[in-house]
Amino acid sequence: VSWVEGAEGSGFGVDHLPYGVFSVGEQPRRVGVAIGSSVLDLAEVARAGLFDDAVADPSGLFASDRLNPFLAAGPGVWAPVRARLTELLVADPAPALRAALVPRADVRLHLPFEVADYVDFYSSLEHATNVGRLFRPDADPLLPNWRHLPVAYHGRAGTVVVSGTPIRRPHGQRRPPGSDAPTFGPSQRLDFELEVGWVTGPPTNHGEPLPIERVADHLFGLALVNDWSARDIQAWEYQPLGPFLAKSFATSLAPWVTPLAALEPFRVSQPPQDPPVLPYLRADRDWAFDLDLSIELNGRVISRTNFRGMYWTVAQQLAHATVNGASIRTGDLYASGTVSGPTPGSEGSLLESGRNFLADGDEVTLHGTAGPIRLAEVTGTVVP
Amino acid sequence: VSWVEGAEGSGFGVDHLPYGVFSVGEQPRRVGVAIGSSVLDLAEVARAGLFDDAVADPSGLFASDRLNPFLAAGPGVWAPVRARLTELLVADPAPALRAALVPRADVRLHLPFEVADYVDFYSSLEHATNVGRLFRPDADPLLPNWRHLPVAYHGRAGTVVVSGTPIRRPHGQRRPPGSDAPTFGPSQRLDFELEVGWVTGPPTNHGEPLPIERVADHLFGLALVNDWSARDIQAWEYQPLGPFLAKSFATSLAPWVTPLAALEPFRVSQPPQDPPVLPYLRADRDWAFDLDLSIELNGRVISRTNFRGMYWTVAQQLAHATVNGASIRTGDLYASGTVSGPTPGSEGSLLESGRNFLADGDEVTLHGTAGPIRLAEVTGTVVP
């Protein structure tokens, strides 16, 4: 139990300790962890010498405008830092530690890390089936490759924005039903996608696949993602090379990254895979996570699902994404694809639920919990 | 005419002046321009004060391990720097200038800029038709959207490598003809793609489309690109979200970036577009370029084509890529898509030419010229 008032029961207790980047007024950005309704300023903790010998050069890691240096440091640094922070937040606090605590209401949160490459998967069986049925009504909704590999594409890293950034309705080409030629204008079918994003740590070597049993050495943690999607633009543009402008206008990311270490108690086994997957996709431990997820539209919860039902796990995704020798860089973002459940009311997008598409002014907020841990929400409002 | 011996007629005269990043021995990387068979060390030119007042803080731009600071500076800096370098390379040289000249044989060339986002287009009518026929034999080879918008997808920025980097044959899933299930192993259908890559300068604001008449403010220049492709992996994985592992293992980039300024004399009008394109894709000037391109396989030229025949221009590509409000960052790489001509012997890939796919040890080199200007070649050898 932490001495920080209100931390217990807030979803941001000592069992969580997610990392983010914040600033106060005109001061430079730095790294912090969220605890209760406060931020612990890690640059200040480093300056005060409170890391002791838990880590060399803590200022280099935390007096930074992005998490990337800390991400690059790897599990050998992540673990002692987490252990030391837990110690500091539980024991009687030194005055310098109290002084490093800033009310969250007083800070501005920034994109937590510089996104290197952004990859978006398509790993929910229910979502792929729902979407396949809509986009290719005359064919088997699930394509022949889907159960053999985690289908994915690269998204636009440069337009990943932090939660709270207004989402401007994109313009583009869309073809009216029955017409041969496209028209141009604002998207009429603006949608969201509920996703879980995974953030990488140390890079891998180009040319060397990352074996599935070594994924944890390169995986730091997760943050919720809203993969905004313009369905009318998508339907017209996506063949044969996949979505481009339908997705590239904005992708929202939660401001706090929850470390894998905090999620260990919530590992569960993934759904059975049939047919059996190729050996490079077989893990020696559980890589699904029991995360309750929900979508709030203008203050009302419209969908609830759980991340444990995903057909493909993040370990399978990273093993697959590197099996051709592609390297991972620090700060790569791997999003799960839309998380949809099997029942009505568990869809991860409007496209699937049959609701109206987003109107200007609509606010979408994605939530997640793992037992007592509350993932940082990701929110965005549509503007014209 | 330059005082640098051999510059005249080398393809790297004072009319060219492409920028790159080099190092000598263990010394740090810095920016240079290629002239004849030498490199002019711009960090050294800056240190010697030879830029005069052509540009503020030349050391900040050129004592750098990447072109990005110079790219970000924009046309207001690119033009006076080019003018001053031309002056210096034509007039009688000061000893300090001679001292800044390094033989190209003595330098190591590096990836010239940090790639922000990498977008790959599909803008050759002939290539799209050839490939459509092969991948979708039972349908119209050109999809309905193709003549209305420059089709594109995001590639992997983190695996763009400089010319000369060995290309490891990727492993992956591919489905043997007639089989239901994939097998795993090294690609049996490894191919290249001849492309022209465009590099961006100053960023645009997120949410604001870049009008086609302002593209030149954000476009620095070009470099040849080899978009290596594993056709067997591609055929199995690419539906419905486009190519992923078939392309992400490596993309080779030429080490010298030719500025747009050097290419101005080679602007020509693009082929007619029918049906007419939407207004945001109509330029007020010519944006095609008369570049002769060729492909050399193990020392033998196997294909020749010209870049002027591309259906979509780079100006149309950038206007399209940002019309949804997506921002451009400094160092984005926009590749043209495979450049194929209309006749046998002008194909930009093996897939189209019907030749054998690449064997281990094969060396592929892409060449280009614009009048007397020789674009830097991009080369790579396949290794097992």
Side-chain angles (χ1 to χ4, degrees), chain A residues 117 145 148 154 156-158 168 173 182 206-207 236 239 242 244-245 248-249 280 320 324 327 329 332 334, chain B residues 117 145 148 154 156-158 168 173 182 206-207 236 239 241-242 244-245 248-249 280 320 324 327 329 332 334:
Chain A
D117 272 299
N145 56 18
H148 292 280
H154 284 93
R156 191 163 185 83
R168 210 172 288 198
Q173 296 191 20
H206 192 188
W236 170 236
Q239 283 189 316
F244 183 50
L245 296 184
S248 68
F249 58 99
Y280 76 94
H320 182 65
N324 66 347
S327 44
R329 287 185 294 171
D332 280 352
Y334 295 86
Chain B
D117 271 299
N145 57 17
H148 292 280
H154 283 92
R156 190 164 186 83
R168 209 171 289 198
Q173 296 191 20
H206 192 188
W236 170 236
Q239 282 189 318
L241 300 182
F244 183 49
L245 296 184
S248 67
F249 58 99
Y280 77 94
H320 182 66
N324 66 348
S327 44
R329 286 185 295 171
D332 279 352
Y334 295 85

Side-chain angles (χ1 to χ4, degrees), chain A:
Chain A
V1 176
S2 175
W3 53 264
V4 178
E5 215 177 306
E8 195 69 13
S10 70
F12 292 88
V14 282
D15 50 353
H16 190 181
L17 303 185
Y19 293 80
V21 170
F22 73 99
S23 61
V24 180
E26 297 302 302
Q27 288 172 19
R29 302 179 188 193
R30 67 268 309 276
V31 173
V33 297
I35 175 87
S37 56
S38 299
V39 179
L40 184 65
D41 179 339
L42 298 193
E44 195 52 32
V45 173
R47 212 193 48 78
L50 294 171
F51 278 109
D52 283 353
D53 53 1
V55 54
D57 186 27
S59 292
L61 299 181
F62 301 126
S64 169
D65 60 357
R66 60 195 74 180
L67 289 179
N68 298 61
F70 180 58
L71 297 174
V77 165
W78 305 337
V81 165
R82 183 171 170 84
R84 178 63 181 150
L85 290 175
T86 305
E87 240 171 54
L88 289 170
L89 288 164
V90 168
D92 265 355
L97 191 63
R98 273 195 194 279
L101 216 57
V102 190
R104 274 212 255 169
D106 295 352
V107 309
R108 186 165 163 216
L109 295 172
H110 304 279
L111 193 67
F113 57 94
E114 188 182 26
V115 180
D117 272 299
Y118 165 41
V119 173
D120 194 21
F121 286 88
Y122 190 57
S123 290
S124 155
L125 179 67
E126 291 76 14
H127 172 70
T129 305
N130 293 341
V131 170
R133 209 167 271 144
L134 291 162
F135 274 68
R136 293 174 299 279
D138 304 327
D140 192 338
L142 221 54
L143 291 166
N145 56 18
W146 200 90
R147 288 175 184 271
H148 292 280
L149 54 81
V151 169
Y153 66 99
H154 284 93
R156 191 163 185 83
T159 49
V160 176
V161 296
V162 70
S163 174
T165 306
I167 302 303
R168 210 172 288 198
R169 180 181 296 274
H171 283 59
Q173 296 191 20
R174 54 279 201 290
R175 181 165 62 167
S179 167
D180 267 355
T183 57
F184 181 83
S187 170
Q188 303 297 311
R189 294 164 65 86
L190 185 59
D191 200 354
F192 53 77
E193 292 192 341
L194 163 66
E195 305 202 11
V196 172
W198 294 90
V199 184
T200 54
T204 63
N205 294 326
H206 192 188
E208 297 176 13
L210 176 63
I212 196 163
E213 59 276 9
R214 282 190 20 229
V215 163
D217 295 343
H218 298 271
L219 192 63
F220 176 69
L222 66 72
L224 294 175
V225 167
N226 185 341
D227 175 28
W228 304 94
S229 300
R231 302 301 179 188
D232 41 0
I233 296 173
Q234 186 175 357
W236 170 236
E237 76 170 359
Y238 91 105
Q239 283 189 316
L241 300 181
F244 183 50
L245 296 184
K247 306 268 195 176
S248 68
F249 58 99
T251 306
S252 297
L253 181 69
W256 297 104
V257 182
T258 298
L260 189 54
L263 297 170
E264 290 297 343
F266 309 102
R267 277 189 195 262
V268 291
S269 56
Q270 75 193 104
Q273 294 186 305
D274 181 31
V277 297
L278 283 162
Y280 76 94
L281 295 169
R282 291 181 204 151
D284 55 359
R285 58 181 306 198
D286 288 338
W287 272 103
F289 291 88
D290 181 11
L291 308 181
D292 281 317
L293 303 172
S294 64
I295 303 167
E296 193 184 327
L297 175 62
N298 298 326
R300 229 184 89 223
V301 172
I302 59 164
S303 183
R304 289 180 194 281
T305 183
N306 192 294
F307 190 56
R308 66 186 296 166
M310 299 294 278
Y311 195 84
W312 297 102
T313 67
V314 63
Q316 292 180 315
Q317 289 166 346
L318 291 200
H320 182 65
T322 61
V323 77
N324 66 347
S327 44
I328 285 173
R329 287 185 294 171
T330 298
D332 280 352
L333 175 62
Y334 295 86
S336 60
T338 309
V339 187
S340 290
T343 53
S346 67
E347 301 90 351
S349 69
L350 293 173
L351 181 69
E352 296 163 77
S353 69
R355 290 172 179 270
N356 290 336
F357 288 101
L358 295 172
D360 292 344
D362 278 352
E363 185 187 56
V364 180
T365 307
L366 310 181
H367 301 278
T369 57
I373 287 177
R374 227 176 142 79
L375 304 180
E377 64 183 35
V378 57
T379 189
T381 299
V382 177
V383 299

